[in-house]
Structures are given as C-alpha cells and as structure tokens.
Amino acid sequence: MNIKKSILLRVRIAFLLVFLFAVAVIFRISHIQFVEGDKWSKIAEDIGLKFRPVKATRGNIYSDNGSLLATSVPFYRVAYDPTVASDDVFETGLDSLAYLLSDFYRDKSSTFYRRKILEARETGRQYLVLNRKMIGFQDKKEMSSWPIFREGRMRGGVIFTKVEKRLRPFSYLGSRTVGYINEDNYGAGLEYSFNEVLAGKDGQALFQKMAGGNWKPVYDASEVMPVEGYDIITTLDINLQDVAESALLKAIARHDANFGCVIVMEVETGEIKAISNLSKDKKGKYRETYNYAVGSQGVREPGSTFKLASIMALFEDSELSLNDSIQTGNGSFKFFDQTMRDHKKGGYGKISVKQAFEKSSNIAISKLIWNQFGDNPQRYIDYLHNFGLTRPLGFHMIGEGKPKVKDTTDPTWSGITLPWMSIGHEVELTPLHTLAFYNAIANDGKMIRPIIVKEVSHADQSVRDYETGVIKESICSPETLIKVKTMLEGVVENGTARNISGTHYKIAGKTGTAQKIIKGRYVRKYYTSFAGYFPADQPKYSCIVVIDNPKGYQQEGSDVAAPVFKEIADKIYSQDLEMHESLTPEYLVEKGIFPVIRSGNLTDLELICNEFGISNHPVKEELEWVKTDPVNNSIRWKENKAENNIVPDVVGMTLRDAIYVLENRGLRVQIEGEGRVVFQSQSPGMKVLNGSKIKIKLS
C-alpha cells in the first residue's frame, strides 16, 4: 500500500513539474513577444533580418485556342557565398569556376572572376553578386553542374534567386487589351482587371540584408510558400486579332489619323474575337497606348451610326414604312437659329425613308424625329433607354466608359438638342457600346453583354465559367427588325457604303462621320466609323471600325472606315469555311458512263482514254485544261479555263491537278478524302481572295 502511494505521489509531482515548465515557456514566449518584442525586433534589424514577401507565380492568359498571350517566365540572379565551401572544394574548383563564369558572361576575364571570389572569401563576405545579368532556367541547370556550384547552396554556397518576368509570345498583338500590372498593383487591360485571379497569393521568407543593399535569403522553417495564380482563357482569336490589327494599322497610317480602333465580335455568343487600338506616339509611330474601344477616352459622339437608333424609335412609335417619303429640300434646313445641312450639295429633294437612311440624310432623319417627338422629346429618350443605350454594358474589363445620353431634365437641353441628337450629336458612346447595339440587330433583336474572358482555370481544371449575359431579350418589335435589317443591307448595296459592295457574301451596316467640336465650335475634323455585321443573311460576326481625325481629301466613314471593315470581313470569310455557300447543282458530280473522267489536263486525260479505247475529241485545238462532255459512248473535251482572278472549276480533277490549278490562283487548299474532287467550298466563277482557304473533298 505504501509502495502504491509512493508511485502515485511521484506521478503527481511529475505532472506538476511538466505543468510548471509549460507555464514558464508560455510566460517566456509572451514576455518576449509583448514585453521584449521591440528589443528583439531591434536586434533583428541590427543584423539585417527581415521577413519579405515571396512573389507567387502569376497565372497565364490564353487565347480561345490555347495560344499564350501572356505568361510568367522564370529568370535567376546568380550570387555566391564564398565562405560556405570547404577549403578542399574551394581550392580544387576555383580556377575552373572562374573560367566558366568568364566564358558564360563574356564580359570579364577568368582572372577577374578568380580574384573577385578569392577576395570575398578572404574578407568573409557572405553575399557576392557574380554578375548583374539574369539567367534563364536552362542556364541555371548548366551552372548547377559547375565546380563548387555542384555542391549546392549548403556546401557550395551558390545562391539562385528567382525573378519572374512577364512575357508576351505574340509581342505587340493586342498589347493594350492584354495590359499590364505594375509593382503598385495598378495597370490596365486584362492583367489589371483580373489581377486578383492571376496574382495568386504571395509567400513570405526570412532575408538578411547584406552589404550593397542586397537581400540574402535565410532558409529556415519559417518560410511560407507562395500559391500560384489561376489562368484566364479569353475569347480572342489570335488569327483574327492579327487580321484586324494589320488592316487598322494600314488605314490609320495612310490617312495620318490620330487613333483608330477595331472590335470583332461573334454575333450569337457576344465573344470578342479581336480588339485593336492604335494611336500615334510622340515619335509619330502607331502603337497601343489606350483602349479607345472600351475606355472613357473613347466615349465620343458616334455620328450617323446613331441614326439606326433614331429610325428604330420612329418605327416603334408610328406606322412609318420604308416607302414613305420626306422632303429634304435643297440640302439645308433651319431648326430654330441653327442650320442643319446634308452632305450632298443641292440636297436630296423628296426621298423615301429607306433612301434617307441609305444616303444618311441628316435633314430627313431629324425632320422625321422632330415631327414625331418634338412635342414629347422624353419619349424619344425613353426609346434610347429601351434600346440599351443609356447604361454601361457591365463589361469584364475595368475602366469601361459610361454613355452620355442626356434627357429633358438636363440643364444643357435646348430646342436643337432633339434634332441634333437624332443624327448622333449631343450623345456620346464607346465603340463597344455602338457595336453591342448593332450586334443586337444581327442577333434577331437580342442584346447581349460582350465578353472577353470565358473561363478561369487552374492546372487544366475549370474554376469558373463566364457565360453571355442578356441585357435585353428584344430591343424592338419583329416588324421593326425586318425594316432596319433591310435598310442596313441597303446602305451597302445602294447607299453611302456601296464602295464595299460586290462581295459574294452580304454585308449590312452603317457609315458614320461626326464633325468634332473643339472649344465649343464645330471644326473640319472628323470622327469616322462603320458598324455592321456579316454575312447579312446569316450573321456570324459583327464589327466596328473607328478612325479619328483622318487627314487628306478622304475624311468620311465611307472612304476611311468602311474599307477597313471590308478588308477584315473578306479575310475572316476566307478563313471560315463554315460561312461558304454550298455548290450549286450544276457543279456537283453526276453519275454517268464516265465517272472518273470529269476534268483535268487534256494530255493526261487523252492518254487514259486512248489506253482504254474510249473515243475522245477536243472541241478546238490547243486546249490545256478541259472538262468532259459525254456524247453517247464518246467524250468531247470542253475548255475549262478561268481568269487568273477567278476561282476555277476543279470538280472531277485528280488531287494533283486540282492543287496545281488552285495554288496557281493564290488559294490555300484544304484536302479531305481520296480519289477525285467531288466538292469545292468556293464556287467557280467567284472572285479569288488571295491567300484564302478553299476546301476540296475527294471521293
């Protein structure tokens, strides 16, 4: 019994001692932290120790097909602690290390590097920057195998400090849209707008400040590892971006414009496929310095592209038809004390509503609006509100410009506000907002919010998807929609943009030329634009082109902006085979007695026919490329010739012949199947778009 009591007493004493020790430890920690904290912090500062952030690896920015638009590439600063290595390791490897450093950097002799390292070791210097030039990852791997360095940080003393640089594989393409972020977390574009997603979470590590202001990492258990950022996948198509940017650059340079911008958007999804902004710098070169397509500096009077909203308000509020007429007079008309003029000298006289829109008559549109809404201008403003033109779009990127659409309570509202607003003055929109409005017409009245980022991902796993948002299910009635679509097509077929007609696909759109106001007065400087969509009968893409202050004799939207639209549309059409029309029946292969002798080189085909004993005769002498014309049990050869700028008929040809003929016309051939050609995506007789794709199917 006494033994049990003795054991129990000893256990209790042991527990008591442990408890007292724990209390003492806690007390000491608390005392150091709260009472002596300043003292130890001061000591840490005196010896140069400090916790510093360790930057997380920034996420990547991708195009719609996975091409890298921006990525973080690791580089390394190379430093050395010469006090770490043992005498044997140091003395054995110093000469070789000095030689390798000299050979790698090619700036100093091996003697210089040997002396530099040796002096640092003799003086006890613990952090020596070997060279200010940073190295890449492969160079780091190579250096890690060098004498002394191969012993690593703990035994050799080499210190590789990672520094990440932002790299854009496509360089200038979409540079302002991709954007940037600086050390103060301020920037522009996608880098800034999605910084919270891309940035990740910085870590923390202990560093010691060395002579010269450098910070040497102190590797201990207190290190907090950084968490890398997420990636974002954009809607941008790098090929269409290149097309848009190239076309815009040529135009603004030719017209010596102040700036220009282009947006290409997919009609149904609202996905922005290309967005380019180019402005002239102090050296006279064009580069991306500001996003005029989206930002507040791009909020401008749209000019005649705004007439679409006015004509829609008229159709919605009245029984007005396309064939109703309006008297425009001799080209000038006075509203109160201000005179409005049409572009055509002498005026248009009496014209239909459809013609008024196609010819972009200021007087016609303003008179119609005045007659309908003059007694109640706010009703007109209400229609603009209903069309989605008075509120911001809520776009992905930070810095979206706000529309400026005044109402009748505005102190600047006057008698001439309504007629001038109806033709695109005294109202301001961004190009993106104007495009969203035109896109709604192409999208059967549904106005959708444009998007430029469709997914956030991490390690190939989707973290968040962005879907198209609907701003307005229908901005107008079906009847109005039919009328305005007809008018927009008419602008290209018969009106101010007929210089871009004649394509084998239809374009619908509207030109815009807004005279600029400087110091309260209109001056002979213009803001030109063209907004529209294509193909007009089955819209797939919408696009807006804006060119500010073009110089020279061409200063209107039809001459300056519309041709850029057409160049972009042509190149997109040539690359997108889904938009190509099917061949008409006359070009399709028919079953017959000579299924494999359809078309090709006459010499080759005559040889085949003669070999098989098939009677064949040319229509005329000296033919090279022919088509077959079966007559009973014989073949008559017909000439198969097309102009150099016309798509040839290759149906029935062998692959060799088809490629030869098509590539000689400057077409890029896409092949499917084996045998002879039974289908070609571009119809014979169409004008050749040099460099465009043509798909041929063989069977």
Side-chain angles (χ1 to χ4, degrees):
M1 192 70 176
N2 290 334
I3 295 173
K4 287 183 180 180
K5 286 182 179 181
S6 176
I7 293 171
L8 184 60
L9 180 62
R10 289 177 182 176
V11 169
R12 286 176 178 173
I13 292 171
F15 272 119
L16 180 61
L17 289 172
V18 170
F19 174 74
L20 291 173
F21 179 76
V23 170
V25 169
I26 293 171
F27 174 78
R28 183 57 181 161
I29 291 173
S30 300
H31 185 77
I32 291 172
Q33 183 174 353
F34 297 107
V35 179
E36 300 180 8
D38 291 341
K39 170 189 170 184
W40 290 109
S41 294
K42 182 67 169 60
I43 292 172
E45 287 180 10
D46 290 342
I47 61 175
L49 291 175
K50 185 178 181 181
F51 278 101
R52 291 167 58 86
V54 177
K55 280 285 185 182
T57 298
R58 195 168 179 82
N60 298 323
I61 300 177
Y62 292 98
S63 70
D64 63 346
N65 70 349
S67 298
L68 272 171
L69 299 178
T71 187
S72 292
V73 178
F75 287 86
Y76 299 86
R77 292 193 185 98
V78 184
Y80 180 53
D81 183 350
T83 65
V84 170
S86 65
D87 290 341
D88 183 54
V89 169
F90 186 81
E91 291 169 4
T92 303
L94 179 58
D95 288 341
S96 297
L97 177 62
Y99 171 80
L100 289 168
L101 287 168
S102 175
D103 184 62
F104 179 83
Y105 288 115
R106 296 186 179 277
D107 60 344
K108 303 290 183 182
S109 66
S110 59
T111 304
F112 171 85
Y113 279 106
R114 186 182 188 283
R115 185 172 63 250
K116 184 177 183 178
I117 295 170
L118 194 59
E119 286 177 356
R121 183 177 174 91
E122 289 172 351
T123 58
R125 189 172 176 181
Q126 294 180 307
Y127 191 84
L128 175 65
V129 177
L130 293 171
N131 197 293
R132 294 292 175 184
K133 180 182 176 182
M134 287 192 287
I135 64 172
F137 178 73
Q138 293 300 324
D139 294 330
K140 173 181 176 287
K141 284 181 66 177
E142 180 187 340
M143 280 191 178
S144 298
S145 66
W146 290 358
I148 302 179
F149 285 5
R150 69 169 66 103
E151 303 296 328
R153 179 183 59 83
M154 301 303 294
R155 295 178 60 196
V158 65
I159 302 167
F160 294 112
T161 304
K162 187 168 76 169
V163 178
E164 291 191 336
K165 290 186 177 182
R166 205 63 170 161
L167 178 69
R168 292 178 184 166
F170 290 96
S171 186
Y172 65 88
L173 272 183
S175 59
R176 187 66 184 192
T177 304
V178 174
Y180 66 92
I181 192 82
N182 63 20
E183 293 180 357
D184 298 323
N185 284 329
Y186 179 79
L190 293 168
E191 293 275 23
Y192 181 53
S193 301
F194 287 83
N195 184 45
E196 191 172 325
V197 171
L198 292 164
K201 188 175 181 181
D202 290 347
Q204 195 176 57
L206 190 63
F207 288 79
Q208 183 177 11
K209 194 170 186 179
M210 312 303 294
N214 295 303
W215 288 90
K216 174 186 174 182
V218 178
Y219 298 92
D220 66 355
S222 63
E223 184 176 5
V224 178
M225 296 299 292
V227 179
E228 65 181 20
Y230 290 168
D231 302 328
I232 61 172
I233 300 170
T234 72
T235 61
L236 295 171
D237 183 315
I238 202 66
N239 294 318
L240 300 194
Q241 180 70 30
D242 188 29
V243 164
E245 202 152 309
S246 298
L248 179 64
L249 179 59
K250 280 194 300 183
I252 60 176
R254 183 169 62 251
H255 296 287
D256 191 25
N258 289 356
F259 72 82
C261 65
V262 168
I263 315 170
V264 179
M265 186 160 68
E266 209 169 57
V267 169
E268 187 177 357
T269 64
E271 292 185 1
I272 292 177
K273 293 299 174 185
I275 180 169
S276 178
N277 297 271
L278 295 170
S279 57
K280 189 183 291 186
D281 63 16
K282 293 179 180 179
K283 295 181 180 179
K285 293 184 178 181
Y286 290 102
R287 59 191 186 93
E288 291 211 332
T289 57
Y290 186 80
N291 195 336
Y292 293 96
V294 177
S296 57
Q297 291 184 40
V299 179
R300 304 290 175 95
E301 290 187 350
S304 294
T305 55
F306 196 76
K307 290 174 182 173
L308 176 62
S310 296
I311 205 74
M312 283 174 58
L314 287 166
F315 288 144
E316 290 288 275
D317 201 63
S318 68
E319 298 298 321
L320 189 70
S321 74
L322 296 179
N323 296 322
D324 287 342
S325 60
I326 180 73
Q327 179 59 252
T328 65
N330 62 0
S332 65
F333 187 83
K334 221 168 188 183
F335 290 95
F336 298 96
D337 62 338
Q338 296 293 318
T339 300
M340 182 177 289
R341 290 182 172 81
D342 273 334
H343 173 70
K344 183 184 177 184
K345 289 184 179 180
Y348 297 106
K350 190 175 183 179
I351 55 176
S352 69
V353 170
K354 183 173 182 289
Q355 289 174 323
F357 189 80
E358 291 172 350
K359 298 178 185 299
S360 200
S361 169
N362 294 330
I363 293 170
I365 301 299
S366 294
K367 283 182 70 175
L368 287 167
I369 289 292
W370 182 259
N371 293 340
Q372 187 68 26
F373 299 104
D375 293 337
N376 186 6
Q378 187 59 44
R379 185 165 174 80
Y380 171 75
I381 304 301
D382 291 342
Y383 276 113
L384 300 184
H385 182 79
N386 193 58
F387 296 155
L389 293 171
T390 59
R391 295 182 298 271
L393 296 169
F395 187 53
H396 270 151
M397 291 167 64
I398 294 171
E400 178 192 354
K402 296 180 180 179
K404 297 177 182 178
V405 182
K406 63 177 73 173
D407 59 22
T408 53
T409 63
D410 193 288
T412 64
W413 186 277
S414 69
I416 65 166
T417 296
L418 180 62
W420 257 259
M421 181 183 285
S422 70
I423 59 172
H425 294 287
E426 297 200 36
V427 57
E428 296 180 1
L429 299 172
T430 62
L432 180 63
H433 210 137
T434 298
L435 179 61
F437 178 52
Y438 274 73
N439 193 81
I441 303 302
N443 200 29
D444 291 329
K446 180 187 285 189
M447 190 179 218
I448 53 181
R449 183 173 293 106
I451 62 170
I452 197 168
V453 172
K454 57 184 177 182
E455 186 181 339
V456 175
S457 67
H458 182 64
D460 295 328
Q461 296 293 318
S462 180
V463 175
R464 178 179 178 182
D465 292 324
Y466 292 94
E467 297 181 356
T468 301
V470 178
I471 296 174
K472 192 89 175 173
E473 280 290 346
S474 181
I475 63 172
C476 65
S477 66
E479 294 77 18
T480 294
L481 197 63
I482 293 170
K483 292 175 185 177
V484 296
K485 282 186 173 182
T486 301
M487 296 170 80
L488 288 168
E489 290 180 34
V491 169
V492 178
E493 292 171 359
N494 314 303
T496 55
R498 61 185 176 275
N499 60 314
I500 66 169
S501 64
T503 55
H504 39 268
Y505 61 96
K506 283 188 174 182
I507 294 174
K510 182 74 183 73
T511 56
T513 308
Q515 196 170 2
K516 299 178 76 171
I517 299 176
I518 297 179
K519 295 182 179 180
R521 299 183 63 182
Y522 283 103
V523 296
R524 291 186 63 82
K525 294 182 179 181
Y526 301 93
Y527 179 84
T528 68
S529 60
F530 185 90
Y533 52 86
F534 63 95
D537 48 354
Q538 290 183 313
K540 185 170 183 180
Y541 296 101
S542 59
C543 176
I544 187 169
V545 178
V546 168
I547 297 180
D548 181 70
N549 193 24
K551 316 297 191 304
Y553 68 94
Q554 291 182 323
Q555 293 185 312
E556 297 181 0
S558 58
D559 298 318
V560 179
V564 180
F565 182 102
K566 183 179 184 298
E567 181 178 346
I568 293 169
D570 279 350
K571 289 182 178 178
I572 291 175
Y573 183 86
S574 72
Q575 294 180 21
D576 193 335
L577 297 177
E578 292 181 0
M579 290 195 291
H580 293 191
E581 296 179 0
S582 300
L583 284 176
T584 55
E586 63 183 292
Y587 295 114
L588 299 177
V589 174
E590 299 175 5
K591 292 182 179 179
I593 191 168
F594 305 116
V596 296
I597 308 174
R598 294 287 297 173
S599 179
N601 182 271
L602 176 60
T603 303
D604 293 343
L605 294 180
E606 280 183 327
L607 181 64
I608 293 171
C609 288
N610 293 336
E611 188 71 25
F612 284 94
I614 299 172
S615 176
N616 63 97
H617 309 281
V619 174
K620 63 180 182 179
E621 299 297 327
E622 298 180 353
L623 295 180
E624 183 179 6
W625 297 98
V626 295
K627 292 190 292 185
T628 60
D629 183 16
V631 179
N632 297 323
N633 290 328
S634 66
I635 290 176
R636 183 172 59 182
W637 304 117
K638 297 190 301 183
E639 188 173 17
N640 184 15
K641 183 180 179 181
E643 301 294 332
N644 287 334
N645 62 342
I646 300 299
V647 176
D649 181 3
V650 297
V651 171
M653 288 188 184
T654 62
L655 177 60
R656 183 190 67 174
D657 288 347
I659 289 177
Y660 177 83
V661 172
L662 294 172
E663 289 188 346
N664 276 340
R665 297 292 196 280
L667 296 165
R668 293 186 295 140
V669 184
Q670 183 176 325
I671 305 160
E672 181 181 310
E674 296 178 350
R676 288 180 178 263
V677 179
V678 296
F679 168 83
Q680 63 184 80
S681 63
Q682 294 192 36
S683 298
M686 296 185 345
K687 188 177 180 180
V688 169
L689 295 174
N690 192 38
S692 65
K693 288 181 184 176
I694 182 169
K695 183 177 182 179
I696 58 173
K697 292 183 180 179
L698 294 85
S699 177

